[in-house]
Amino acid sequence: MQLVVGRIGKPHGVRGEVTVEVRTDEPEARFAPGTVLRTEPGAAPPPVPADGPGVVFRVPAELTIEESRFHQGRMLVAFDGILDRNTAEALRGTLLVVDSADVEPPEDPEEFHDHQLVGLAVVTPSGERLGEVARIDHAPSSDLLVLRRPEGRTALIPFVRAIVPEVDLAGGRVIVDPPAGLLDL
């Protein structure tokens, strides 16, 4: 499974640096110099003319980070081979991805990556199937499990110990003990 760790934004300056909308909890590790990131096919704009007649720039399948830094709250990244503003502009909108198999599991047994939870069955402590985890929404107060119900509706479940007492990755399930009415909202 491919995990999006960033989205390339506008160029910064004239030497090929770009802004990156960070979508990872570990930007220093994901955007360290020498790191190779894959680009999401179809996420980038169409090929654009590059310098010289008949030359077209296509977004490469992989980009290697040459340098990264934070500047005024934004991640700025320079990639190997992207040397000018025009080429950097052609990268705008490109998604940067890593393979979930390359992501180390968290050291804390009570911490999970989103991709580990998506698709797990959601059951009550008595074993009643409520649906499956469709995605995780990261809200300011707590993360929310977005539950896809069997009848097609969705429900939001706060990902807190009082409501989600157990996550059984090996068993492929999340046990929830929802308060009355939570799934009816």
Side-chain angles (χ1 to χ4, degrees):
M1 167 189 269
Q2 298 294 311
L3 303 175
V4 177
V5 295
R7 181 179 162 275
I8 297 177
K10 64 183 181 178
H12 179 80
V14 296
R15 297 190 178 161
E17 230 177 6
V18 294
T19 61
V20 173
E21 175 189 323
V22 176
R23 297 187 184 173
T24 177
D25 289 343
E26 303 169 329
E28 292 80 11
R30 295 276 170 246
F31 296 99
T35 301
V36 177
L37 297 172
R38 293 184 196 99
T39 58
E40 182 68 34
V48 296
D51 294 336
V55 177
V56 174
F57 175 80
R58 294 186 190 279
V59 175
E62 296 181 337
L63 292 168
T64 302
I65 295 174
E66 185 176 286
E67 182 183 347
S68 66
R69 62 191 168 96
F70 278 98
H71 175 69
Q72 296 181 347
R74 288 193 175 132
M75 171 70 75
L76 299 180
V77 177
F79 295 104
D80 286 345
I82 308 300
L83 305 174
D84 60 53
R85 186 176 184 88
N86 292 338
T87 308
E89 179 64 42
L91 295 175
R92 187 188 290 230
T94 300
L95 295 178
L96 302 169
V97 299
V98 296
D99 192 318
S100 61
D102 297 336
V103 176
E104 292 289 324
E107 291 179 18
D108 183 352
E110 305 260 332
E111 188 177 319
F112 306 95
H113 291 298
D114 292 1
H115 72 275
Q116 293 176 294
L117 300 172
V118 173
L120 295 182
V122 177
V123 298
T124 63
S126 64
E128 176 190 354
R129 184 174 169 89
L130 300 174
E132 73 175 35
V133 178
R135 70 176 188 273
I136 312 301
D137 284 352
H138 300 282
S141 60
S142 73
D143 292 338
L144 298 167
L145 298 177
V146 178
L147 173 66
R148 184 179 307 115
R149 303 279 288 153
E151 66 274 6
R153 294 183 311 118
T154 59
L156 300 176
I157 299 174
F159 195 23
V160 295
R161 181 171 291 289
I163 299 173
V164 184
E166 183 181 347
V167 174
D168 179 7
L169 292 178
R173 65 188 184 146
V174 176
I175 298 173
V176 299
D177 191 9
L182 179 66
L183 300 178
D184 299 327
L185 296 176

